Amino acid sequence: MGSKILIVTLLMICASIACNGEDGFIYSRATFYGSPECLGSPRGACGYGEYGRTVNNGEVSGVSRLYRNGSGCGACYQVRCTIPTHCSEEGTKLVVTDFGVGDRTDFILSLRAYSNLARPNMAAELLAYGVVGIQYRQIPCQYASNLLLKVHDRSKFPSYLAVVPLYQGGVYDITAVEVWLEDCKEWRGMRRPFGAVFDMENPPMGALNMRFQVTSYTSGDVKLVQVPTVIPADWKAGVVYDTAVQLN
């Protein structure tokens, strides 16, 4: 009986080691999808549009459980594959722009991101595998830009406002967005209809003061970031506004 307990204990320890590697890396699997110019898709579930195709030079990915109902959109990860003869040591650094479910995979990479997992001149051989074992860890997103807020193309002035954050730095998820209602002297939450998009019917008139609730997926730390008058009174669909802050 004692030997059986020992065997079970060892199996549990081995399973734990197989899931979590050194330096914070986690073991999983990844595959790729094809797209024009090997970039991302402008129709990704995060709602980024063209930004989702080209951000980070097209090194982007769809994720499954890391999608976190859309709050995982914009997160950055270092991903490296685990075939020593084919895979580079550093792997690639990518941005989450879409949702995608594969064959027991956590990542479905753009063709450019997947190819950059490989050692020099080994991309074709790595692509032939289709699905590869990987290690990944979340890393801070780093941009030269401030956090930007795009008024989504579906917005209709003045009755319906939808916004999507772009160039989201650091390691925080944006888990809520609120708008200040001057008449009521209170913050009112926006709805998250999908992905990284937040919306509100009949938003208040005038320039909008907003604040973001941001949460660290790894530590659970929560904080509020206020951005006064980020959206002007005469906002327009498709226009991008500078928040003058970053989430680093």
Side-chain angles (χ1 to χ4, degrees):
M1 182 68 177
S3 61
K4 290 183 178 179
I5 294 174
L6 178 60
I7 292 171
V8 171
T9 303
L10 288 173
L11 287 173
M12 292 175 65
I13 293 172
C14 290
S16 175
I17 294 171
C19 292
N20 298 282
E22 298 178 355
D23 301 324
F25 281 94
I26 299 170
Y27 286 90
S28 184
R29 284 156 52 95
T31 185
F32 65 93
Y33 63 92
S35 62
E37 300 176 315
C38 304
L39 304 178
S41 169
R43 297 180 296 277
C46 290
Y48 288 136
E50 182 65 14
Y51 169 87
R53 190 179 78 88
T54 59
V55 66
N56 195 41
N57 198 31
E59 293 193 54
V60 298
S61 181
V63 294
S64 50
R65 64 186 182 86
L66 296 172
Y67 186 71
R68 300 193 284 276
N69 294 319
S71 63
C73 291
C76 295
Y77 293 90
Q78 181 183 359
V79 177
R80 61 192 189 190
C81 56
T82 56
I83 307 170
T85 55
H86 292 60
C87 302
S88 69
E89 293 184 5
E90 287 299 314
T92 188
K93 297 176 182 179
L94 54 82
V95 180
V96 172
T97 59
D98 202 354
F99 175 83
V101 178
D103 178 14
R104 295 176 289 125
T105 61
D106 275 312
F107 294 88
I108 302 180
L109 281 66
S110 67
L111 190 58
R112 178 168 294 182
Y114 189 92
S115 297
N116 285 343
L117 296 174
R119 291 181 179 274
N121 304 314
M122 295 300 293
E125 286 81 356
L126 195 63
L127 289 167
Y129 278 85
V131 178
V132 292
I134 61 164
Q135 294 175 313
Y136 74 90
R137 64 180 176 183
Q138 187 172 6
I139 57 174
C141 297
Q142 298 179 331
Y143 299 109
S145 168
N146 291 327
L147 175 69
L148 304 182
L149 207 57
K150 179 182 178 181
V151 177
H152 198 276
D153 295 335
R154 297 180 183 178
S155 300
K156 294 182 179 180
F157 182 84
S159 59
Y160 174 71
L161 173 66
V163 297
V164 57
L166 308 178
Y167 299 107
Q168 175 183 331
V171 294
Y172 284 91
D173 294 346
I174 297 177
T175 49
V177 178
E178 299 175 313
V179 174
W180 176 251
L181 303 183
E182 182 63 28
D183 292 345
C184 303
K185 304 298 181 184
E186 67 179 17
W187 291 99
R188 181 165 299 175
M190 302 184 79
R191 181 181 71 117
R192 186 198 292 272
F194 65 95
V197 178
F198 293 87
D199 70 357
M200 173 178 281
E201 298 279 357
N202 302 312
M205 303 297 290
L208 299 183
N209 296 323
M210 308 179 77
R211 71 179 182 184
F212 301 92
Q213 176 182 288
V214 297
T215 305
S216 170
Y217 171 64
T218 53
S219 70
D221 182 40
V222 179
K223 63 180 181 179
L224 294 173
V225 179
Q226 188 167 336
V227 284
T229 61
V230 60
I231 302 293
D234 59 344
W235 54 265
K236 295 178 176 62
V239 176
V240 178
Y241 299 100
D242 191 335
T243 69
V245 301
Q246 190 48 276
L247 304 182
N248 295 13

